């Protein structure tokens, strides 16, 4: 019974089902995702909504079929006073197909059905004047455009963007916090808070400081901003993009419209099918009621005959050995004044007049009659009941024969259903609201962080930290044994720091996310997914719009826009493709019109920057040809200003006439000028 209990428990959860069909007593779970108590600890009964679905079940309103093992019978479909498929929605997956229908408001569905009865060829878009959209049990704000919703309901496929309901709570003195009182449908509150806490920990939403769950019976989630200067709209825009405070509910109205064939239907088709079903239920219930009336009229006619010939009936019952057969053989034609008077008073019924003989049903009913029923008042009651039933039968005959009367009756039933489960019903009022999504501008992270000066320090072993303020770059700093400073420069908390690994990948770290400078820092490999075998080639501040010269130790390279190398994830962005023993070696900003390259063989080559392609990713082209060895250094410069370097004594040397080393790209080059550094580096 586990599957049965799980299904029943869900029907009692008002956060899962728009109109619960089960009234549960005990622990039936909660919106945090906690499971219901075991079945032995809970009690359940049907709600008024469930009773409305079953109304007429005992009146031959629908067909019955055998259950799964043939021991019982079950209805093939419920009579249903309202379209439960749309009211409570449906979600399921079958072989090769699926369905996903959101819940709606019963009162709005009834209004749409009433309009469809008045105007059978009503357009799909007209029905949206009555059914505004989904009505989720957890409320929320639907921010889908009217055009998109109309398209979804017209085609049976689409989706709805659903957001949490929130408001700004003033704490005084300029302080404020955001309070969320409704969360999207089918989102577990506990997991939502875990996700938001993870966003805070990973600093994906740096302007959010804390999240608290202050919920009791109602939902109350509190978001605390990092600063009172933060714009609430900006904060919530980021939360909607990065968490389940905004979800998309897909609409796929794939239904068995005839009970057999799957079909994706529009809302109009589903409501039309419901109305046709209600008409069939009405006809079957009316026919069933008429059959009952006919049977009762037959019995009443027998009773009235018995009262008209009471003495003879008593004689037959007292003295005849087979009174039933004797009653049926007896000719009850009028034989004495009272019987004649009764015959003149009584109007014959539609199926059985006061004929001369009793039917088996009438005879059986007379024999089963109690003696106390033979009083005169009872006879008057029988006549009154007979007349009332005859009048009701006339109405049923008219109803079964007139289509207009049938639709009028269905309209009355729908109005009654709307009144019963409308705004005056507990939970009947609309819960989900509608609003415009608005344009949420992409706010750069730098705009959300307090801009403060820092000094970035990265050691040879890859330990990185950010000292507060711009300190003296020549100041002596502490490092682990065997380690020392490799990169040290001034930056700001709003800066993006680019890191190039020897694997050719660029990694991005936000200055505000760097560890403080009190200790030795943290390994950079823990902040980005830099493999252990890869070395850090360069670290520098990202400057939008700038271009970079990147090259590998094999002498291949190209120009790449710096904006293209900024990574959005920890895994970085592959820019320079390297294979075999080759590794990324050079990353220099483009500052001129020419390129100077020096190989490990101390040969220098100068060529025009225009000979290098501009790529977003790749291996690049050959910069310099080598018989053995590889690339040592490369730099860009303005040829009119000449090429400069520091000699071994620390003096700046320059060469203005570079014709001796100028050649086409991929040439071998010539030996470096006299005084060129022994480490084969331009800077």
């Amino acid at each position: 019974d586990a599957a049965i209990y799980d299904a029943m428990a869900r029907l009692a959860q008002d956060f899962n089902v728009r109109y619960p069909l089960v009234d549960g007593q005990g622990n039936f779970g909660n919106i945090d995702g906690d499971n219901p108590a075991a079945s032995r600890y809970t009690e359940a009964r049907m709600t008024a909504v469930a009773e409305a679905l079953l109304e007429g079940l005992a009146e031959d309103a629908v067909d019955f079929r055998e259950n799964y093992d043939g021991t019982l019978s079950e209805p093939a479909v419920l009579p249903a006073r309202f379209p439960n498929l749309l009211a409570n929605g449906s979600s399921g997956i079958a072989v090769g197909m699926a369905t996903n229908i959101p819940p709606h408001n019963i009162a709005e569905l009834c209004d749409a059905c009433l309009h469809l009865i008045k105007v059978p060829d009503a357009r799909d878009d007209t029905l949206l004047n009555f059914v505004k959209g989904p009505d989720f049990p957890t409320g929320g704000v639907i921010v889908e455009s009217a055009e998109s919703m109309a398209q979804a309901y017209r085609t049976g496929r689409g989706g709805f963007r659903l957001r949490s309901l929130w408001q700004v709570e003033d704490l005084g003195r300029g302080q404020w916090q955001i309070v969320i009182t409704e969360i999207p449908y089918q989102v577990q509150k506990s997991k939502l808070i875990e996700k938001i806490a993870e966003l805070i920990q990973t600093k994906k939403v740096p302007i959010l400081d804390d999240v608290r769950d202050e919920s009791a019976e109602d939902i109350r989630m509190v978001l605390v901003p990092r600063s009172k200067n933060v714009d609430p709209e900006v904060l919530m825009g980021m939360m909607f993009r990065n968490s389940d405070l905004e979800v998309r509910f897909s609409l796929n109205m794939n239904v068995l419209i005839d009970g057999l064939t799957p079909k994706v239907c529009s809302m109009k088709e589903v409501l039309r099918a419901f109305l046709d079903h209600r008409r069939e239920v009405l006809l079957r219930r009316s026919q069933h009621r008429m059959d009952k009336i006919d049977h009762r009229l037959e019995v009443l006619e027998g009773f009235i005959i018995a009262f008209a010939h009471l003495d003879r009936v008593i004689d037959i019952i007292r003295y005849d050995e087979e009174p039933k057969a004797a009653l049926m053989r007896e000719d009850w034609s009028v034989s004495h004044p009272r019987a004649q008077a009764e015959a003149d008073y009584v109007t014959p019924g539609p199926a059985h007049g006061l004929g001369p003989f009793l039917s088996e049903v009438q005879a059986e009913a007379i024999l089963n009659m109690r003696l106390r029923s033979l009083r005169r008042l009872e006879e008057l009651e029988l006549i009154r009941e007979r007349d009332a039933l005859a009048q009701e039968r006339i109405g049923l005959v008219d109803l079964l024969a007139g289509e207009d009367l049938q639709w009028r009756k269905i309209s009355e039933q729908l109005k009654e259903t709307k009144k019963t489960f409308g705004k005056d019903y507990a939970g009947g009022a609309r819960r989900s609201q509608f609003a415009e999504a608005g344009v949420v501008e992409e706010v750069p992270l730098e705009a959300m962080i307090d801009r403060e000066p820092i000094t970035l320090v990265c050691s040879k072993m890859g330990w990185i930290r950010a000292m507060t303020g711009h300190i003296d770059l020549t100041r002596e700093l502490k490092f682990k044994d065997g380690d020392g400073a490799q990169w040290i420069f001034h930056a700001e908390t709003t800066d993006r720091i680019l890191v190039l690994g020897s694997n050719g990948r660029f990694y991005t770290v936000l200055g505000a996310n760097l560890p403080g400078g009190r200790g030795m820092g943290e390994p950079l490999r823990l902040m980005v997914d830099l493999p252990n075998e890869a070395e850090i080639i360069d670290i520098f501040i990202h400057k939008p719009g700038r271009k970079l010269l990147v090259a590998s130790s094999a002498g291949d390279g190209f120009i790449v826009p710096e904006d293209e190398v900024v990574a959005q994830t920890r895994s970085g962005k592959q820019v320079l493709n390297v294979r075999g023993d080759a590794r990324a070696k050079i990353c220099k900003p483009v500052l001129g019109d020419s390129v100077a390259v020096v190989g490990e063989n101390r040969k220098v080559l100068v060529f025009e920057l225009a000979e290098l392609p501009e790529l977003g990713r790749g291996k690049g082209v050959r910069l310099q040809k080598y018989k053995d060895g590889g690339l040592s250094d490369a730099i860009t410069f303005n040829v009119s200003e000449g090429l400069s370097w520091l000699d071994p004594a620390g003096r700046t040397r320059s060469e203005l006439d570079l014709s001796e080393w100028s050649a086409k790209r991929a040439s071998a080059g010539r030996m470096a000028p006299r005084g060129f550094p022994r480490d084969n580096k331009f800077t």
Side-chain angles (χ1 to χ4, degrees):
D1 64 344
I4 299 172
Y5 181 66
D6 288 345
M8 188 200 75
R10 180 184 175 276
L11 293 179
Q13 296 172 340
D14 58 0
F15 53 88
N16 260 330
V17 182
R18 179 63 183 85
Y19 297 93
L21 304 181
V22 173
D23 181 10
Q25 173 72 28
N27 176 15
F28 277 83
N30 56 37
I31 200 169
D32 279 329
D34 297 332
N35 293 325
S39 57
R40 59 183 176 274
Y41 300 119
T42 58
E43 297 176 356
R45 63 182 177 184
M46 288 193 300
T47 62
V49 179
E51 291 176 0
L53 289 177
L54 302 177
E55 187 178 286
L57 200 61
E59 300 175 23
D60 191 35
V62 293
D63 292 331
F64 277 70
R65 64 188 178 195
E66 290 186 345
N67 69 338
Y68 67 98
D69 62 356
T71 57
L72 299 170
S73 61
E74 62 184 12
V77 64
L78 297 180
R81 276 175 52 187
F82 60 89
N84 185 60
L85 177 70
L86 292 174
N88 274 325
S90 179
S91 179
I93 300 174
V95 180
M97 67 191 70
T99 186
N100 204 38
I101 304 173
H104 295 80
N105 189 276
I106 286 182
E108 294 178 2
L109 293 172
C110 290
D111 285 338
C113 289
L114 289 170
H115 179 73
L116 205 54
I117 291 174
K118 291 180 183 177
V119 188
D121 57 347
R123 295 185 301 111
D124 290 272
D125 293 352
T126 308
L127 296 177
L128 294 184
N129 295 330
F130 305 96
V131 181
K132 308 296 184 184
D135 188 20
F136 296 100
T138 54
V141 181
I142 299 171
V143 294
E144 197 67 31
S145 67
E147 297 78 12
S148 174
M149 292 174 64
Q151 175 73 9
Y153 282 125
R154 189 164 50 245
T155 62
R157 293 186 186 274
F160 308 95
R161 286 169 59 199
L162 181 64
R163 286 181 175 176
S164 303
L165 181 64
W166 62 279
Q167 61 187 23
V168 177
E169 190 172 85
D170 187 9
L171 301 178
R173 297 185 179 181
Q175 302 292 328
W176 55 272
Q177 62 187 15
I178 289 175
V179 178
I180 297 170
T181 54
E182 294 177 3
I183 62 175
Y185 183 48
Q186 292 180 336
V187 172
Q188 293 183 5
K189 179 164 62 69
S190 58
K191 291 187 177 179
L192 176 60
I193 292 175
E194 288 177 11
K195 176 68 175 176
I196 295 175
E198 183 182 337
L199 292 177
I200 297 173
Q201 186 177 6
T202 57
K203 297 185 179 179
K204 287 187 177 180
V205 184
I207 56 176
L208 180 63
D209 185 61
D210 192 18
V211 58
R212 297 194 305 268
D213 184 9
E214 299 179 355
S215 305
E217 292 296 325
D218 298 327
I219 290 177
R220 179 182 167 86
M221 288 171 51
V222 177
L223 301 181
V224 181
R226 187 171 293 277
S227 167
K228 64 181 181 181
N229 299 323
V230 172
D231 186 352
E233 294 287 345
V234 172
L235 173 56
M236 289 309 296
M238 292 194 67
M239 296 304 298
F240 290 146
R241 282 197 301 271
N242 292 285
S243 72
D244 282 344
L245 288 176
E246 178 183 315
V247 299
R248 182 172 178 81
F249 190 96
S250 297
L251 170 71
N252 182 15
M253 218 176 299
N254 190 11
V255 298
L256 301 177
I257 199 73
D258 58 355
L260 297 172
T261 310
K263 181 185 176 185
V264 177
C265 298
S266 66
M267 171 173 281
K268 178 182 175 181
E269 289 177 294
V270 175
L271 293 178
R272 183 78 261 167
F274 168 72
L275 290 175
D276 293 342
H277 170 66
R278 284 302 295 170
R279 182 170 179 238
E280 182 183 352
V281 168
L282 176 65
L283 294 175
R284 292 183 61 156
R285 289 182 69 184
S286 300
Q287 185 61 52
H288 178 268
R289 176 62 180 161
M290 196 159 70
D291 293 343
K292 291 286 187 183
I293 289 175
D294 287 346
H295 180 269
R296 181 61 178 165
L297 284 174
E298 182 180 358
V299 172
L300 289 175
E301 289 161 5
F303 285 161
I304 291 171
I305 290 175
F307 274 100
H309 304 85
L310 189 56
D311 294 339
R312 178 60 183 149
V313 169
I314 293 173
D315 286 344
I316 292 175
I317 295 174
R318 280 187 70 182
Y319 300 112
D320 204 296
E321 293 182 359
E322 293 183 0
K324 181 177 179 180
L327 287 171
M328 295 175 65
R329 286 194 307 268
E330 184 78 15
D331 184 356
W332 300 99
S333 300
V334 178
S335 58
H336 55 76
R338 181 165 182 255
Q340 180 65 52
E342 190 65 43
D344 293 339
Y345 174 79
V346 172
T347 302
H352 307 278
L354 284 174
F357 300 103
L358 293 175
S359 67
E360 184 177 355
V361 172
Q362 291 171 326
E364 187 69 35
I366 291 171
L367 290 173
N368 290 331
M369 185 189 299
R370 292 183 178 183
L371 286 175
R372 71 170 58 183
S373 301
L374 300 178
R375 57 198 177 96
R376 177 63 184 168
L377 288 176
E378 192 69 25
E379 184 179 4
L380 296 175
E381 284 296 325
L382 292 175
I383 295 172
R384 195 176 296 117
E385 181 184 357
R386 191 265 326 266
D387 292 344
L389 288 177
Q391 191 65 35
E392 182 182 352
R393 191 182 190 282
I394 293 172
L396 289 174
V397 170
D398 293 340
L399 181 65
L400 290 171
E403 186 174 343
D404 290 342
L405 283 176
Q406 295 165 14
W407 288 121
R408 194 179 307 164
K409 181 68 174 176
I410 293 172
S411 296
E412 292 173 2
Q413 294 172 348
L414 287 170
K415 290 176 182 176
E416 183 183 349
T417 302
K418 178 187 174 182
K419 183 178 179 181
T420 304
F421 301 114
K423 59 182 180 180
D424 296 331
Y425 178 71
R430 168 167 276 281
R431 299 181 186 178
S432 295
Q433 305 175 18
F434 297 91
E436 293 292 331
V439 178
V440 181
E441 297 181 1
E442 283 288 342
V443 181
L445 289 176
E446 295 84 347
M448 307 177 198
I449 302 169
D450 293 334
R451 189 172 181 176
E452 298 175 355
I454 57 172
T455 301
L456 185 145
V457 180
C458 186
S459 71
K460 297 175 182 177
M461 296 173 62
W463 285 69
I464 194 169
R465 51 184 152 156
M467 314 287 290
T468 303
H470 285 171
I471 67 171
D472 183 3
L473 299 181
T474 61
R475 172 176 145 188
E476 187 174 343
L477 301 171
K478 290 184 179 180
F479 294 93
K480 292 181 176 294
D481 292 342
D483 200 1
Q486 180 71 28
W487 292 275
I488 177 169
F489 53 84
H490 293 154
E492 293 178 336
T493 52
T494 55
D495 287 335
R496 281 189 171 94
I497 310 301
L498 298 181
V499 180
L500 173 61
S502 59
N503 55 356
R505 296 184 81 88
F506 277 87
Y507 304 88
T508 305
V509 182
L510 191 63
N513 293 344
L514 293 174
R518 287 190 176 182
M520 304 295 177
E522 294 180 8
L524 184 58
R525 297 178 195 276
L526 296 180
M527 303 179 67
V528 296
D529 295 337
L530 182 66
N532 292 330
E533 64 274 8
E535 300 175 4
I536 300 173
I537 300 302
D538 201 0
I539 299 179
F540 54 95
I541 299 172
H542 168 53
K543 294 184 179 179
R546 189 168 61 173
K547 295 183 179 181
L548 300 173
L549 167 65
V550 292
S552 67
S553 59
D556 299 318
F558 57 91
I559 304 296
V560 60
E562 192 168 318
D563 294 336
E564 294 286 326
V565 305
V566 177
Q568 303 296 331
T569 61
R570 284 172 52 97
S571 57
K573 194 170 187 180
Q574 186 70 45
V575 175
L576 181 62
N577 295 337
V578 291
R579 293 182 180 178
D581 296 334
R583 60 190 186 91
K585 190 163 186 178
I586 302 296
C587 180
K588 299 286 180 67
V590 174
L591 300 174
D593 55 13
S594 299
V595 181
V597 185
V598 60
E600 293 175 351
N601 57 9
R602 288 186 63 78
K603 288 187 176 182
V604 175
L605 173 65
V606 176
F607 58 89
E608 293 182 1
L609 182 68
E611 295 187 50
L612 281 182
E614 185 173 310
L615 305 174
R617 173 179 176 174
K619 176 183 176 183
V621 296
R622 176 70 64 183
L623 302 183
Q624 188 178 16
K625 183 171 67 176
Y626 310 109
K627 287 186 178 179
D628 50 18
L631 175 67
S632 183
D633 197 9
I635 193 172
T636 59
F637 67 101
N638 286 312
V639 70
S640 60
E641 299 174 1
L643 186 61
S644 330
W645 63 85
L646 294 176
D647 65 8
R651 294 170 299 189
T652 301
R653 296 282 301 273
S654 61
E655 188 70 44
L656 293 175
D657 185 9
L658 300 173
S659 58
E660 182 180 347
W661 296 276
S662 296
K664 289 292 185 182
R665 176 184 59 79
S667 300
R670 304 291 293 274
M671 288 302 295
R674 185 182 299 276
F676 193 77
R678 288 293 174 185
D679 61 0
N680 282 357
K681 301 289 184 182
F682 290 108
T683 54

